[in-house]
Amino acid sequence: MPGFFASLVHNLGAGYRLATGRALAVEDVSCTLGQIVALVLILLLLNAGTSLVTTEAPVQFDAYGLNYLGASSLFSLLMLMLVSRLAGSSAARFIPMLIAFVSASVLIDLVSQLLWLAQQYFTLSATQAWGLFAVPLLWQWLVVVRLLRGFAGAGPLRSSMLGALYSLALFASFWILPRAELWYTDEAADQVAQAPGVELDVEAVFYAQPRLMRQSLAALEPQRPGVTDLYLLALGGFGLEDVFLKEVEFVRAQFDRQYDTVGRSLILANNPARVSQYPLASRPNLAQGLQGVAQKMDTAEDVLFLFMTSHGSRDHRFSLEFGTIELNDLTPQQVRQALDDAGIRWRVILVSSCFSGGFIEALQSPETLVITAAAADRTSFGCGVDSDFTYFGTAYFKQALPRQPRFIQAFDLANSWVSDREQQEDIGASQPQIFVGDSIAKKLDSLYREPKLQMAFSLAVPGELSACEDSRTQVESPSDACQP
């Protein structure tokens, strides 16, 4: 055993020399299967530890993060094997090359993780952030080039080109492989203990889902030929606070009245008061709900408004929480997949949660409008057991849409209202976000020209928004009122 640890230290020293530009020969590496396993475990523990430290409490482990680490490691191994063979290296030389590379990667990962930790205390420009991302990539390129030259005997140009091939493939893998962290923040977990006990018959609730989904989807009216219909799916994810149920019910009533969605709106909600009325806001029900809506609408002509409200986490998970009924959170990629599988083309998506800006990249398309209550790295405000509406929900649905019924233009009013309120209350800016696809604005114009919508729009109340004045008159909860 002492010999094993001595060899491990020896290999780490060899990796340090390789990563810092010093000479390294094949005989400087101790080649055994145990050494490969130990070095890979060190890398895994390094990544897991840094992820744990950088994740805000309450922390929850995600086994899918192991899948991502395994897939990315295997991809890196296969690319290293490919470039070594293209460089003319023999199979016998690949094992010491692999050990030297993994040993050097320990130092590269350590420095990269420390830089990542440090940047959280500073505000970086987009250029600086990309620079921070490029440093380890360039560093690995240099290591691969030195390995191909020293271990495979490749010339300077050949090794440089093959090193670039490896780095470009590694860069592409960040988009090819669906990323998942080992740890994530369950923003709602610390509130579960404080929330009133939710006594539910778990079996009865789950057995009721097929019936509730059938009833809800059967109540949807089919599209009207020659009419651009708007369909609404409103999802309230966190079942231990009534604010999210209040929002989805308010929005459905508002859209039925203002956007002619009567018979074309569907609610999925986690709330004990509505457990026998609405299907659960769960991942399978969302997928089935979108499929059911798609079957009733003309997917080439009609528009879907998907409204999602709940808590959110820093790694961009949308919370689906219902006490003793354990539900899986939603990721942006899962929402996108459900929409694509349903075949719904024209989409307006509003995600109201902390860190919801992280949904934009996955959901964007030319036929999509995406609105989020906060930037990818910012919290939003107004949720809680005493709240009747979130800040952004108040701004967009209660304040902006009654004055400006057009979804894109209403965002500007809502954004201004939220910003004013946050400044008045001296809290951090949530920075709501919007993405407008190249085709969706023109499509929405055709929707707004429908006669019934024109009648409703004529009732819009003009005027500027004042965060203090309007929140006092229209928000019922004292916790949501603007302070003098």
Side-chain angles (χ1 to χ4, degrees):
M1 206 55 157
F4 175 83
F5 286 110
S7 296
L8 182 60
V9 172
H10 178 78
N11 281 331
L12 289 172
Y16 174 79
R17 293 199 301 277
L18 176 64
T20 54
R22 301 181 191 179
L24 187 69
V26 175
E27 54 270 18
D28 293 332
V29 179
S30 176
C31 300
T32 65
L33 178 61
Q35 289 297 308
I36 296 177
V37 172
L39 289 166
V40 170
L41 283 176
I42 290 174
L43 278 176
L44 175 62
L45 290 173
L46 180 61
N47 278 277
T50 307
S51 176
L52 179 61
V53 170
T54 56
T55 303
E56 293 185 359
V59 176
Q60 196 156 331
F61 178 74
D62 185 1
Y64 287 105
L66 293 174
N67 293 342
Y68 172 75
L69 283 178
S72 59
S73 300
L74 179 60
F75 184 82
S76 176
L77 170 66
L78 292 175
M79 287 306 304
L80 185 64
M81 185 182 297
L82 174 64
V83 297
S84 68
R85 294 307 299 264
L86 291 176
S89 175
S90 64
R93 291 232 166 182
F94 177 71
I95 298 300
M97 181 185 295
L98 173 63
I99 291 178
F101 177 79
V102 176
S103 299
S105 296
V106 171
L107 177 62
I108 295 173
D109 272 24
L110 178 60
V111 174
S112 301
Q113 302 289 4
L114 289 174
L115 287 174
W116 176 253
L117 284 171
Q119 67 87 27
Q120 297 189 47
Y121 299 97
F122 303 95
T123 302
L124 300 181
S125 65
T127 302
Q128 291 170 327
W130 274 105
L132 194 63
F133 178 77
V135 166
L137 209 60
L138 179 61
W139 199 352
Q140 285 197 335
W141 171 77
L142 290 170
V143 166
V144 171
V145 169
R146 296 192 67 240
L147 281 173
L148 294 178
R149 295 193 64 186
F151 283 50
L157 179 60
R158 189 185 185 93
S159 59
S160 297
M161 295 295 290
L162 290 173
L165 173 63
Y166 172 85
S167 296
L168 287 173
L170 193 65
F171 180 76
S173 72
F174 290 114
W175 282 266
I176 296 173
L177 301 175
R179 186 174 181 86
E181 299 293 344
L182 282 171
W183 309 95
Y184 70 95
T185 302
D186 187 353
E187 296 287 339
D190 57 349
Q191 301 177 38
V192 172
Q194 303 171 16
V198 179
E199 297 296 332
L200 296 169
D201 186 335
V202 177
E203 284 190 352
V205 171
F206 274 117
Y207 282 127
Q209 293 311 297
R211 174 180 55 81
L212 289 173
M213 285 300 301
R214 284 196 304 271
Q215 290 175 350
S216 297
L217 295 177
L220 290 176
E221 294 184 4
Q223 61 90 23
R224 295 167 291 187
V227 177
T228 301
D229 288 309
L230 180 68
Y231 282 77
L232 170 72
L233 196 160
L235 183 150
F238 190 74
L240 304 180
E241 295 172 4
D242 289 342
V243 58
F244 305 112
L245 174 67
K246 292 175 181 177
E247 286 199 327
V248 295
E249 291 187 330
F250 178 93
V251 170
R252 181 170 68 173
Q254 178 183 35
F255 271 52
D256 285 354
R257 179 179 65 254
Q258 192 169 351
Y259 295 95
D260 193 27
T261 60
V262 177
R264 296 180 181 84
S265 57
L266 172 67
I267 285 181
L268 304 178
N270 298 327
N271 191 279
R274 300 288 189 273
V275 71
S276 60
Q277 180 178 354
Y278 301 135
L280 291 178
S282 66
R283 193 187 307 172
N285 281 357
L286 173 62
Q288 186 179 351
L290 290 172
Q291 292 278 357
V293 169
Q295 292 172 8
K296 293 295 181 77
M297 70 190 308
D298 182 340
T299 55
E301 178 183 59
D302 298 334
V303 180
L304 169 73
F305 193 110
L306 174 61
F307 172 49
M308 300 169 52
T309 179
S310 185
H311 290 288
S313 62
R314 286 189 180 275
D315 60 347
H316 310 135
R317 290 173 180 269
F318 183 87
S319 179
L320 300 180
E321 177 69 46
F322 201 8
T324 55
I325 298 179
E326 296 185 4
L327 303 171
N328 294 319
D329 293 342
L330 279 171
T331 67
Q333 293 76 18
Q334 290 164 348
V335 176
R336 174 61 183 263
Q337 190 64 55
L339 286 162
D340 289 348
D341 290 346
I344 297 173
R345 180 184 180 188
W346 301 105
R347 312 165 180 176
V348 179
I349 306 170
L350 194 154
V351 184
S352 180
S353 70
C354 293
F355 313 109
S356 49
F359 275 71
I360 289 180
E361 183 177 354
L363 297 178
Q364 62 186 2
S365 76
E367 296 87 7
T368 303
L369 166 65
V370 186
I371 295 171
T372 66
D377 59 347
R378 299 292 181 118
T379 59
S380 56
F381 302 97
C383 53
V385 293
D386 296 323
S387 298
D388 284 296
F389 244 69
T390 62
Y391 283 17
F392 190 78
T394 300
Y396 194 80
F397 295 109
K398 286 191 173 183
Q399 304 292 340
L401 287 183
R403 290 168 169 78
Q404 172 49 270
R406 291 165 176 79
F407 299 138
I408 298 172
Q409 291 82 349
F411 171 81
D412 295 328
L413 294 179
N415 188 24
S416 176
W417 188 95
V418 169
S419 178
D420 288 346
R421 183 167 182 178
E422 290 168 343
Q423 290 178 18
Q424 291 161 3
E425 298 185 7
D426 195 23
I427 54 180
S430 55
Q431 296 181 359
Q433 303 289 304
I434 186 170
F435 167 83
V436 183
D438 293 338
S439 306
I440 188 64
K442 185 176 179 181
K443 179 62 181 178
L444 291 176
D445 285 340
S446 69
L447 172 69
Y448 302 145
R449 286 195 292 269
E450 293 296 337
K452 287 194 175 182
L453 268 66
Q454 286 287 307
M455 291 176 60
F457 285 8
S458 67
L459 302 177
V461 180
E464 297 295 324
L465 298 185
S466 167
C468 245
E469 177 185 356
D470 289 338
S471 65
R472 285 198 186 102
T473 58
Q474 294 198 34
V475 181
E476 296 104 2
S477 172
S479 64
D480 278 347
C482 185
Q483 300 300 317

